[in-house]
Amino acid sequence: MLIGWNYVAYVDTSLVATGHLDKAAIFNVEGTSVWAASPGFIVSPEEIKEVVDSYADKGDPKKVQSSGFYIAGQRYVTIKAEDRSLYGKKGKEGVVVVKTHQAILVAHYPETTQPGTAANTVEQLADYLVSVGY
C-alpha cells in the first residue's frame, strides 16, 4: 500500500491543484476507509456504499442510472455508470467517481469547469494508480 500522505498529495496536487476540481477524496475500494479528503468534503458511509453498490450492479440499466446518487449531501443525476466510472451532474457542477484496483477516487467540479475536463483529470490519475498496481 502507498503511504497515507501520498493520498493527500494526490488529492491536493493531482486533483484539486489542477484547477479543474475543487474538492476530492480517495477511499479504499470497499468504501470503508477514507484515505484522504479535501477539508470539508465529507462523503458519508451511506453515500460511498451506494457508489460501491453501483459498481457491483451488473444490470442494464444500473439502478443508479434511474435513481441518481448522493455525494457530500448533494443529489446528482447519473450521466455515466460503467464498471469503472460513475459521473453525476447537478446543474452545471458535478462529480466524477472512478474505481481502480484498490481505491475509489471521488472528485467534485464547479460550474466553471467543463465535465469532460474534470473527467479527464480524474481518469488520468486513476490510470496512473492502476499502472502502479493500485
Side-chain angles (χ1 to χ4, degrees):
M1 170 181 282
L2 296 176
I3 299 170
W5 64 266
N6 284 333
Y7 290 109
V8 172
Y10 288 135
V11 165
D12 293 345
T13 306
S14 299
L15 297 174
V16 177
T18 65
H20 305 150
L21 306 159
D22 57 2
K23 301 175 255 197
I26 301 176
F27 291 82
N28 68 336
V29 77
E30 296 85 13
T32 56
S33 178
V34 182
W35 288 348
S38 298
F41 189 53
I42 300 167
V43 180
S44 75
E46 296 81 15
E47 292 169 340
I48 197 67
K49 182 183 182 321
E50 186 176 24
V51 167
V52 170
D53 290 349
S54 78
Y55 288 125
D57 181 356
K58 300 303 178 195
D60 187 21
K62 294 179 178 234
K63 180 181 175 234
V64 72
Q65 289 174 291
S66 59
S67 64
F69 61 100
Y70 287 82
I71 295 292
Q74 299 294 313
R75 183 181 181 278
Y76 293 90
V77 174
T78 305
I79 57 174
K80 180 178 181 176
E82 297 180 347
D83 290 342
R84 168 179 144 142
S85 304
L86 177 64
Y87 299 176
K89 199 159 179 175
K90 178 184 171 209
K92 292 184 178 180
E93 64 184 73
V95 291
V96 177
V97 183
V98 183
K99 182 177 88 164
T100 69
H101 299 304
Q102 297 185 31
I104 297 175
L105 312 177
V106 181
H108 176 272
Y109 61 89
E111 54 186 56
T112 55
T113 299
Q114 291 295 319
T117 302
N120 275 346
T121 301
V122 182
E123 295 280 0
Q124 286 175 359
L125 177 57
D127 288 344
Y128 169 74
L129 290 173
V130 167
S131 77
V132 296
Y134 293 91

